[in-house]
Amino acid sequence: MNVFKLEEIRKILNQKLTEEKSPRFCLLLITDYFEEVLSYEDQTILSAYLPEFIPNYIKYLRAYSPQGLHPKKTERIISIAKKILSAGLSEEEKKKIKDAVAGIKAGLSFLKAVLDGADVEEEISFNTAEGKRLAESVKAFVSFPVLERVTDKDVSLGLLENLSVMIQKKNLNDPNSFEIIPGSRELDEKLKGQIHSSWNVAKKYVAGKIKITHSHTAIIRFNNKYGEYVGDSLGAALTLAFIGELLKTHNAREQITVSAAAAFTGSLRENGEVGEVTDGIVSKKTETVFFSSAEIFVVPKEDENAALDKLNKLKKEFPKRNLKVVPVETLDDILMRRDLVDIRKQNIAFYSAKKAYTPKFAFTFMLAVVLMVAALLYEKFDDNPSLLEYKNGYLNVLNRMGDTLWTTKSGPERLEKSIFAHERKYYSRLIDVNNDGQNEVLLCGEDKNNSDDPDHK
């Protein structure tokens, strides 16, 4: 038992945990350390060297996602977590670890199914938090791979990020503005430049389809936000998000939806060209996308060979994995492909109705509806007698709408069969007695043609 060696490893781990920003890399570091501690098989050692790192371990374990990594890395994490459960932890700590492991297992099962060629949408059926997260990931607006920054150059950790955009109109004289959620203390210069380039390209594209008469605030949301993002390789993805949301915000008849099955990498220049990522980076990103739910990986034309080389190597181990590399040179190359972007025109009637809708129009329309309903209700509940109807031995008193106000017996049976209107008038009559606009119904008992009728009163 070399306690001095273990103490040195503990100190190094503490130092690395203060330097590293990647939660997954921190989890891998703690997992390595726990494996070393567990190898001593000594309860005294476990009690001395495990508790210090358990809180952070649980935090990183709960945030862990198997996507973007080879399944073997996740299987090792699960294996060590199970051994930790028998290392004298509290019941609360054990429960938290068990719950986290259950979520990781669900995510791993999903990833293995994808690697085995299963249909992504059919596989998303988990009720766990991980399963729900994956379901939302597939439904995200547009995806792009990100690489986590770690101090160890031999370690490559990547994840699929999901990007969405919301655009708000504002006064034309105000400058366009951009907000990032979650916010960063200081935005990377390349990323900042790419945001403006993507916006200009998007506005140029939609200018031929709609008339823009406003300035805007564009809210860019990173749905996972794994860390501080740098670089411009999200350019193509961001431009597509801008285009789709601008068309939606201004109610263009043409609407664009990016395929949830596609992941994009590559900067986008102001002339619409997709800039290269470099072979080394695109190789790592291809691996990230391979171990994710994406089915199409869009790369700059210059990086096609490096991406295909990596894809072919990975498929030797997972030959059933359905992933296609699509090289593009320009934004138009992306927009021309229906497997990447769905472009549809709204139904003309629905589009026209939305186009005509304004707050002023809405108020006028609602006022007209209210007045029409009020008029109908007035007529419907009109209690002023206006018509008399003789039917089946009864007198029905009706209002102007023909609704029955009340009914009474009409008189002798023969009266129903009479074709002479003047005979009926002796029995009933409508008259405004006091000139108040409200009719009264007079029922008369005299019948000159039948004064001896036993029913006569």
Side-chain angles (χ1 to χ4, degrees), residues 8-9 39 192 259 284 299 306 379 440:
E8 184 63 27
I9 294 173
S39 69
K192 189 187 298 184
S259 171
K284 292 179 180 179
V299 302
E379 296 288 354
E440 283 76 32

Side-chain angles (χ1 to χ4, degrees), residues 289-301:
V289 175
F290 189 87
F291 295 116
S292 76
S293 58
E295 297 171 354
I296 303 172
F297 186 30
V298 181
V299 302
K301 179 65 177 176

Side-chain angles (χ1 to χ4, degrees), residues 144-145 194 230-237 264-267 277 281 285:
F144 62 97
Q194 182 60 73
V230 299
D232 53 8
S233 61
L234 55 59
F264 301 81
T265 193
S267 61
V277 179
I281 298 297
K285 289 190 174 183

Side-chain angles (χ1 to χ4, degrees), residues 388-392 394-396 410 416 424-425 428:
L388 299 177
E389 176 187 68
Y390 300 89
K391 192 173 183 180
N392 298 327
Y394 287 89
L395 169 67
N396 298 321
S410 64
E416 286 298 304
R424 296 185 181 182
K425 292 179 181 177
S428 58

Side-chain angles (χ1 to χ4, degrees), residues 40-243:
Y40 284 84
E41 298 181 348
D42 185 298
Q43 191 60 46
T44 303
I45 294 293
L46 295 180
S47 299
Y49 285 92
L50 286 183
E52 178 183 3
F53 298 100
I54 288 297
N56 277 335
Y57 176 70
I58 292 174
K59 180 179 71 173
Y60 296 139
L61 199 65
R62 294 169 79 172
Y64 179 82
S65 171
Q67 286 220 15
L69 299 178
H70 194 293
K72 288 181 179 179
K73 291 182 179 179
T74 303
E75 288 169 348
R76 178 169 170 269
I77 288 172
I78 293 173
S79 175
I80 298 301
K82 287 180 178 178
K83 293 179 181 179
I84 291 294
L85 292 173
S86 59
L89 305 181
S90 69
E91 290 303 315
E92 183 181 358
E93 290 171 335
K94 287 181 180 179
K95 184 180 184 308
K96 289 179 179 179
I97 291 175
K98 286 179 181 179
D99 290 345
V101 168
I104 293 171
K105 282 183 176 179
L108 181 60
S109 296
F110 171 83
L111 176 58
K112 286 184 174 180
V114 172
L115 294 173
D116 200 37
D119 182 84
V120 172
E121 291 186 2
E122 291 180 359
E123 288 301 318
I124 299 177
S125 57
F126 309 119
N127 292 320
T128 62
E130 174 67 11
K132 291 176 181 177
R133 191 194 67 76
L134 289 170
E136 290 304 313
S137 172
V138 171
K139 295 176 183 177
F141 189 82
V142 60
S143 301
F144 62 97
V146 293
L147 300 177
E148 298 182 65
R149 279 188 167 182
V150 296
T151 55
D152 191 337
K153 294 182 180 180
D154 294 329
V155 176
S156 175
L157 299 176
L159 283 155
L160 208 60
E161 176 60 283
N162 303 304
L163 170 72
S164 57
V165 169
M166 183 173 71
I167 293 176
Q168 299 172 341
K169 296 178 183 178
K170 59 182 185 178
N171 192 291
L172 183 61
N173 296 323
D174 295 334
N176 292 312
S177 58
F178 305 93
E179 296 179 14
I180 309 294
I181 300 177
S184 300
R185 287 172 296 182
E186 189 174 344
L187 205 60
D188 174 69
E189 286 301 317
K190 273 193 174 181
L191 178 57
K192 189 187 298 184
Q194 182 60 73
I195 290 173
H196 287 278
S197 294
S198 291
W199 178 257
N200 291 336
V201 173
K203 279 189 66 178
K204 183 178 179 181
Y205 175 83
V206 303
K209 306 176 185 302
I210 56 175
K211 184 178 180 180
I212 297 180
T213 57
H214 296 78
S215 289
H216 306 83
T217 294
I219 302 171
I220 304 164
R221 182 180 182 86
F222 297 114
N223 297 313
N224 296 313
K225 197 63 167 72
Y226 298 112
E228 299 295 323
Y229 293 160
V230 299
D232 53 8
S233 61
L234 55 59
L238 182 58
T239 306
L240 292 171
F242 278 154
I243 290 173

Side-chain angles (χ1 to χ4, degrees), residues 383-423:
D383 62 354
N384 188 23
S386 299
L387 301 169
L388 299 177
E389 176 187 68
Y390 300 89
K391 192 173 183 180
N392 298 327
Y394 287 89
L395 169 67
N396 298 321
V397 180
L398 315 175
N399 65 12
R400 283 187 300 172
M401 296 295 291
D403 295 323
T404 300
L405 299 178
W406 47 274
T407 299
T408 186
K409 196 160 179 72
S410 64
E413 283 289 326
R414 70 167 189 81
L415 189 62
E416 286 298 304
K417 299 174 182 177
S418 173
I419 60 173
F420 300 106
H422 73 275
E423 289 190 83

